[in-house]
Amino acid sequence: MGAEDEVSREAARAILSDLTLQHIYDHPLTNDRGEIDDIMRVNYDIDLSIFNDMAMMTRPFVRSIT
């Protein structure tokens, strides 16, 4: 998956930067058949008690504190 040009790439970044980690977790990327691929599935093998503490954070916020 990739943007066709720089304008599209920046528009996607702007949209994604506002999404919480919970939203991304609840709405995973899927393939053309609507299935979660093996790479994405690995991201779901997490400690949910720790994730719950971070769920309302956005990706840019997480990057800023790490």
Side-chain angles (χ1 to χ4, degrees), residues 1-65:
M1 173 187 311
E4 294 182 11
D5 55 48
E6 190 62 28
V7 172
S8 298
R9 185 174 295 108
E10 287 304 316
R13 281 186 186 140
I15 292 168
L16 292 173
S17 70
D18 288 336
L19 298 178
T20 63
L21 298 177
Q22 185 69 58
H23 181 89
I24 295 168
Y25 181 85
D26 290 342
H27 302 92
L29 296 175
T30 58
N31 62 21
D32 294 338
R33 296 181 303 269
E35 303 164 333
I36 300 172
D37 67 24
D38 292 339
I39 303 296
M40 191 67 184
R41 192 171 294 116
V42 169
N43 294 325
Y44 283 77
D45 187 19
I46 59 173
D47 184 333
L48 291 176
S49 64
I50 293 172
F51 175 77
N52 288 335
D53 292 338
M54 303 172 53
M56 298 316 293
M57 295 178 186
T58 61
R59 187 174 170 273
F61 179 77
V62 173
R63 287 184 68 179
S64 75
I65 62 172

